[in-house]
Amino acid sequence: MTAATSAPPTLHTAPPKPRAAVVLAVIALVLIGLNLRAGITGASALLHDLQMVLGYGPLVAAIIPSIPTLCFAVAGAATSWLTGRLGVEKSILLALAMLASGLLVRGIPATGVLVAGTVLGMSGLAVCNVAMPSFIREHFAQRTSLMTGLYTVTMTTGATVTSVAVVPLAQALGSPSAAIGAIGIMALSAFLGFLPVALHAHRNKARTPGSRISPWPLLRTRKGLLLTAIFTLQALLAYALLSWFPYMLTTMGLSASDSGLMFGLMQLVSVPSGMVLIAIGSRPRMLRPAFYLVSVAMAAGVASLLFLPVSLAVIPAVLLGFGLGIFPLVMVMISRSGTSTAETTALSTLAQSTGYLLATAGPFGAGLLHSATGGWTLPLVLLLALALVQIVVGHLITGRRPVGEN
């Protein structure tokens, strides 16, 4: 994957943006990134406490961590249409309003409100997920790797800090519901931070409307099929782990506080790993080794979680954290793969909506299999098999014509 020089001519010939607009766009990107996993990991760290306090059963317990991927699939599928009607910036602003509202109402201690708030917030998150590659392409056409790296690093940083801080916060507030509701304050700051960007785009609208491309025919292309496949696999593995990793360790015998620390370590490791992998993959003929490295690390992490004693949980935490670094690589490929902003949005919609729909089997299936078998062996065996399949897909997507190069 070479430097991002494949942006269409229309983006190059557009007048340069004022420095203030660029600075505001960078600040907004950072604020959005900080929120794109925080609402998920914060709830994951409190799943056991929430179930104990609210009293819902095992079926609801399996459904709640599955809501994000379902919303990413359903709401994400509408993003291409939404951005075609409103534009990228207005769509993201609307999505951030939904995210902040949904997360804030989760502070009300009731099972129905927890589920409804999660659906609303994760639907907003879905639109952000799909629209951000197009936002990066439009505003940072010459710096897609740099800005995607910044975006994903802040995403992982927000997730890590939230997962580590939310349990002590719940203890200080005396309520797990109040703690996950407080995460919505950070989402509200992202909405306010992005508002000037959306207003600037509205006042300086230079792009012509109606340039929408339907995402679904792209599934019949090599590019669309491989991007969807790699996104599906990494999302299924990531959200199964993000949803259940601390609970796995707790049920295996680790204390709740140590499980939270290992969860935070896993996400902390994913921050530098994503940047390292982007640096490796951006060099000539190094994209395939980067995918091999990250996919093998994921497989080794799942295997070590399956076979090593829980007292050595630091080993799977580090390996799995490195394996989660695949997400920035995939997002860079999506940002570069379209020949226009419309095609990038279509590819992002296709890969993320289809991928997240299939990835729902990760958190939901792992939870149900654990409830049915009373252990984590079968779920981990299946995750290990999928990690091995990811190695094969990574090999295909980085062939003589890498998908991320036009």
Side-chain angles (χ1 to χ4, degrees):
M1 185 161 52
T2 56
T5 57
S6 59
T10 54
L11 288 176
H12 289 297
T13 56
K17 294 181 176 65
R19 175 176 290 272
V22 174
V23 171
L24 286 173
V26 173
I27 293 173
L29 182 142
V30 169
L31 289 172
I32 293 171
L34 288 172
N35 282 276
L36 290 192
R37 277 186 183 169
I40 299 170
T41 59
S44 296
L46 292 172
L47 280 178
H48 184 264
D49 291 341
L50 287 167
Q51 186 174 9
M52 293 299 99
V53 172
L54 299 181
Y56 51 78
L59 179 60
V60 175
I63 289 174
I64 288 175
S66 307
I67 290 174
T69 51
L70 278 173
C71 290
F72 293 169
V74 177
T79 303
S80 181
W81 172 84
L82 186 64
T83 57
R85 295 292 300 270
L86 300 180
V88 172
E89 293 82 5
K90 290 180 182 178
S91 298
I92 293 176
L93 187 67
L94 175 61
L96 290 172
M98 294 169 62
L99 174 62
S101 300
L103 296 188
L104 286 169
V105 300
R106 293 200 304 185
I108 300 173
T111 301
V113 177
L114 173 63
V115 172
T118 302
V119 170
L120 178 61
M122 296 304 105
S123 296
L125 204 57
V127 175
C128 283
N129 277 335
V130 176
M132 284 307 291
S134 299
F135 176 80
I136 291 171
R137 184 185 182 93
E138 284 195 14
H139 291 263
F140 309 103
Q142 301 303 310
R143 299 178 178 86
T144 53
S145 290
L146 175 63
M147 302 315 296
T148 300
L150 177 63
Y151 158 63
T152 53
V153 163
T154 55
M155 179 191 303
T156 310
T157 301
T160 303
V161 172
T162 303
S163 63
V164 172
V166 72
V167 174
L169 180 61
Q171 293 171 347
L173 296 175
S175 167
S177 296
I180 62 168
I183 300 171
I185 297 173
M186 191 164 65
L188 181 60
S189 71
F191 171 82
L192 296 175
F194 193 78
L195 187 58
V197 177
L199 291 174
H200 180 271
H202 177 72
R203 289 193 298 263
N204 300 275
K205 196 169 186 179
R207 291 175 293 276
T208 56
S211 57
R212 177 178 178 267
I213 295 176
S214 175
W216 313 117
L218 295 173
L219 191 58
R220 295 193 294 268
T221 67
R222 175 180 179 272
K223 181 190 296 185
L225 182 61
L226 288 176
L227 281 175
T228 301
I230 195 67
F231 193 93
T232 298
L233 288 165
Q234 66 84 27
L236 193 153
L237 289 163
Y239 282 93
L241 293 168
L242 290 173
S243 297
W244 294 110
F245 183 72
Y247 191 75
M248 284 181 186
L249 297 182
T250 301
T251 56
M252 290 176 182
L254 209 62
S255 68
S257 59
D258 287 343
S259 297
L261 286 175
M262 291 301 102
F263 189 40
L265 175 63
M266 180 180 75
Q267 295 177 87
L268 183 64
V269 170
S270 69
V271 176
S273 75
M275 296 301 293
V276 168
L277 289 163
I278 287 178
I280 295 173
S282 296
R283 300 175 71 86
R285 295 183 296 278
M286 290 299 292
L287 183 59
R288 177 170 283 177
F291 267 95
Y292 280 157
L293 182 61
V294 71
S295 298
V296 169
M298 174 60 74
V302 176
S304 61
L305 190 60
L306 184 59
F307 296 113
L308 292 182
V310 73
S311 59
L312 299 177
V314 65
I315 296 176
V318 171
L319 288 171
L320 293 171
F322 192 88
L324 292 175
I326 192 174
F327 181 76
L329 273 181
V330 175
M331 295 307 291
V332 168
M333 294 187 79
I334 292 175
S335 295
R336 293 180 175 181
S337 292
T339 57
S340 65
T341 299
E343 187 179 1
T344 298
T345 301
L347 285 166
S348 184
T349 299
L350 173 66
Q352 297 200 47
S353 60
T354 305
Y356 280 128
L357 178 62
L358 298 174
T360 303
F364 185 71
L368 284 185
L369 285 174
H370 170 67
S371 297
T373 63
W376 292 105
T377 300
L378 182 55
L380 287 173
V381 167
L382 294 175
L383 291 178
L384 178 58
L386 290 169
L388 296 175
V389 173
Q390 181 177 283
I391 297 175
V392 176
V393 176
H395 175 84
L396 295 174
I397 206 170
T398 56
R400 287 183 295 179
R401 292 186 298 113
V403 166
E405 294 181 6
N406 291 310

